[in-house]
Amino acid sequence: MKNETEQRLFTTSTLRRLIWPLIIEQLLAITLGMADIIMVATLGEAAVSGVSLVDNINILINNIFAALATGGAVVCAQYIGRRDAKMVSVTAKQLIYAVSAAAIILMIIGLVFRYPLLSLIFGSIEADVMDSAQRYFLITLFSLPGIALYNGCAALFRAQGNSKVSMYIALLVNILNIGGNAILIFAFHWHVEGVAIPTLVARTAAAVVLLVLLYHDKPYRGAPAINITGLLKFAFDPKIIKHILAIGIPNGLENSMFQIGKILVLTLIASFGTGAIAANAAANTITSLEVLPGAAIGLAMLTVVGQCLGAGRPDEAEYFARKLMKITYLSMIALNVPILLFSAPIAAIFHLQPQTMQLARRMLCVHGFFGILIWPLSFTLPNVLRAAGEAKFTMIVSMISMWTIRVGVSYIFAACTGLGAMGVWYAMILDWVLRSAIFSGRFLRGKWKNKTII
């Protein structure tokens, strides 16, 4: 007779197989971002500033795709937990339709309004920075369909528990993107186009490969296959779309408002000069590495908690949520302590001016220290609630905290203190404190365990 642990929906071994590819995938994504910034930095601070400004808009757009993908992944995971293979495949197709439509609409809007959009958002930045931003933004707009499909398809494989697929595809993206950057920038001496075009090629190629794999998907370790055969025979399923949007819209609004808030405070940072923009860009790239374990395990939360709730095992959902949070904290400590100890040589890789590098290092250290203490409760734990269908709650909390604390306090610090760009980072920490307190309370009350989407 099997013991209690062996009877659980997930074992330590299956969790390990789920989490490690996600960590590697996140690391590959961060490596890609760092490589882009480092290579663009060789073109000068105007180029790196222009690319970093546009990347904040691109992150906003990508967050919309990621939100829809999250909605599809949660619904899919719950159907997988229920072992309903038919509805798993129906959900997969509806998700692909949704992300494709969103990508086409956003691409058209961006192409039509790209000039006034950048001027409106970033105001009177230096002319060479705006020129770099405009050229980079134009090309990356054409990559949106590929990015959307990449997000959606990868999320479907993760919902199945098969995170190795998205890891291998992330590796493909890195090879194509970083290799293309190196060739176009260093061999052909292109400007920001040398970063934008490889992004377009890599994301499009990744989307094509993932779609082909989904056409031939098979059951994975007992989980139903996510098969999209007949995708081109369009069949709209309003019930499934409603389920996806019930998670996707609140999550998308949350992520979008979060990124819009970041863009507003970036505008504030831009008022402190090009050096502050460059320091912020470098620090943001490194801080993505600091939160890598929490981000990866957050994705695992959607799969694990979603499948447990779909299978009618709420107590297991809580058990695994607590277990994954413990793993998150241990891994955050293991990663961030060395980063804090070696912050100076890490910041030096961006070849910034001495004063700019010192500012980037201070940003990095503040983020790393508080990232260990409260970031997991602010950003990993909420995925438990989202997997249970409480995306509206996480949206409301995040939006209130973002606009009142991160944005509002940033401008107060700028007006009333001499903190400069660092004031934005201190306001960010206060934002985390509020989020973590509210999300922890919601989790501990346990009402989320009685909810499902399907």
Side-chain angles (χ1 to χ4, degrees):
M1 181 176 180
K2 295 181 179 180
N3 60 40
E4 182 181 354
T5 301
E6 292 173 327
Q7 290 175 342
R8 295 190 192 279
L9 198 60
F10 292 86
T11 65
T12 300
S13 177
T14 55
L15 287 178
R16 189 183 303 115
R17 284 194 295 267
L18 174 64
I19 293 171
W20 272 110
L22 291 174
I23 290 176
I24 296 172
E25 180 184 348
Q26 293 295 306
L27 178 60
L28 289 169
I30 293 166
T31 301
L32 178 59
M34 292 182 69
D36 277 353
I37 292 294
I38 291 170
M39 290 182 183
V40 174
T42 64
L43 302 174
E45 288 193 353
V48 74
S49 297
V51 169
S52 69
L53 291 175
V54 171
D55 274 344
N56 280 274
I57 299 176
N58 288 338
I59 291 171
L60 169 62
I61 296 172
N62 188 66
N63 282 343
I64 295 173
F65 303 145
L68 289 172
T70 297
V74 168
V75 177
C76 206
Q78 292 197 5
Y79 277 122
I80 288 171
R82 189 178 286 185
R83 296 295 187 262
D84 190 337
K86 178 183 177 181
M87 294 309 298
V88 168
S89 292
V90 170
T91 301
K93 293 175 189 176
Q94 298 304 307
L95 175 60
I96 291 173
Y97 297 148
V99 295
S100 298
I104 292 171
I105 292 170
L106 290 171
M107 181 179 68
I108 292 172
I109 292 173
L111 290 171
V112 172
F113 297 105
R114 68 183 187 278
Y115 288 109
L117 183 63
L118 292 184
S119 297
L120 175 65
I121 294 173
F122 299 120
S124 55
I125 57 176
E126 297 172 16
D128 52 353
V129 175
M130 179 61 79
D131 178 65
S132 296
Q134 288 285 358
R135 291 156 66 183
Y136 180 69
F137 190 41
L138 173 62
I139 297 172
T140 55
L141 283 170
F142 289 101
S143 68
L144 295 187
I147 293 173
L149 287 170
Y150 171 82
N151 272 277
C153 295
L156 290 171
F157 278 111
R158 293 189 206 107
Q160 190 185 41
N162 187 358
S163 55
K164 286 185 178 179
V165 169
S166 57
M167 177 190 70
Y168 289 133
I169 297 302
L171 178 60
L172 172 66
V173 168
N174 273 42
I175 292 171
L176 293 176
N177 210 324
I178 295 176
N181 290 350
I183 292 170
L184 295 182
I185 292 177
F186 300 132
F188 290 92
H189 306 291
W190 287 18
H191 201 249
V192 293
E193 294 83 356
V195 178
I197 290 176
T199 298
L200 169 61
V201 173
R203 296 297 185 178
T204 303
V208 171
V209 173
L210 282 169
L211 284 171
V212 171
L213 291 175
L214 283 175
Y215 262 97
H216 302 285
D217 188 43
K218 298 178 181 179
Y220 179 77
R221 298 187 181 277
I226 305 177
N227 192 290
I228 60 170
T229 302
L231 178 69
L232 297 180
K233 297 178 181 179
F234 180 79
F236 179 70
D237 190 320
K239 180 181 177 181
I240 296 299
I241 290 293
K242 182 180 178 180
H243 289 332
I244 292 173
L245 296 182
I247 301 292
I249 289 180
N251 200 32
L253 286 173
E254 176 185 339
N255 291 341
S256 298
M257 291 300 101
F258 181 80
Q259 193 61 29
I260 290 172
K262 287 185 67 176
I263 291 173
L264 284 177
V265 296
L266 181 61
T267 303
L268 178 60
I269 287 175
S271 69
F272 295 110
T274 301
I277 298 174
N280 189 72
N284 272 326
T285 302
I286 302 170
T287 56
S288 298
L289 179 63
E290 290 180 335
V291 300
L292 184 152
I297 296 173
L299 294 174
M301 283 283 196
L302 296 173
T303 298
V304 174
V305 175
Q307 288 196 24
C308 287
L309 293 177
R313 302 185 182 186
D315 290 337
E316 282 194 31
E318 181 178 5
Y319 168 82
F320 285 118
R322 290 178 180 274
K323 184 172 183 174
L324 289 173
M325 286 301 296
K326 290 177 183 177
I327 296 171
T328 301
Y329 268 100
L330 291 173
S331 56
M332 290 284 283
I333 292 170
L335 177 63
N336 280 278
V337 169
I339 291 177
L340 292 173
L341 292 175
F342 296 99
S343 60
I346 291 173
I349 66 176
F350 292 93
H351 307 292
L352 302 171
Q353 297 296 324
Q355 187 175 359
T356 303
M357 188 183 76
Q358 285 299 110
L359 177 59
R361 184 187 175 192
R362 288 199 299 273
M363 293 172 173
L364 161 65
C365 289
V366 166
H367 188 281
F369 177 77
F370 288 99
I372 294 173
L373 297 178
I374 53 177
W375 192 95
L377 294 175
S378 305
F379 295 98
T380 304
L381 185 63
N383 272 1
V384 177
L385 305 178
R386 294 185 186 103
E390 292 206 327
K392 287 184 180 178
F393 176 79
T394 62
M395 175 194 72
I396 292 170
V397 172
S398 298
M399 288 175 64
I400 291 174
S401 182
M402 180 71 188
W403 289 98
T404 59
I405 306 299
R406 183 172 296 198
V407 176
V409 174
S410 289
Y411 278 86
I412 292 173
F413 281 169
C416 304
T417 71
L419 294 172
M422 282 303 302
V424 171
W425 288 70
Y426 294 135
M428 174 186 67
I429 301 305
L430 294 176
D431 171 37
W432 294 0
V433 171
L434 179 59
R435 289 169 185 263
S436 62
I438 297 174
F439 290 141
S440 296
R442 187 77 166 192
F443 174 80
L444 292 173
R445 280 192 290 273
K447 292 182 179 180
W448 59 272
K449 293 192 293 182
N450 301 318
K451 297 183 179 182
T452 57
I453 292 293
I454 59 176

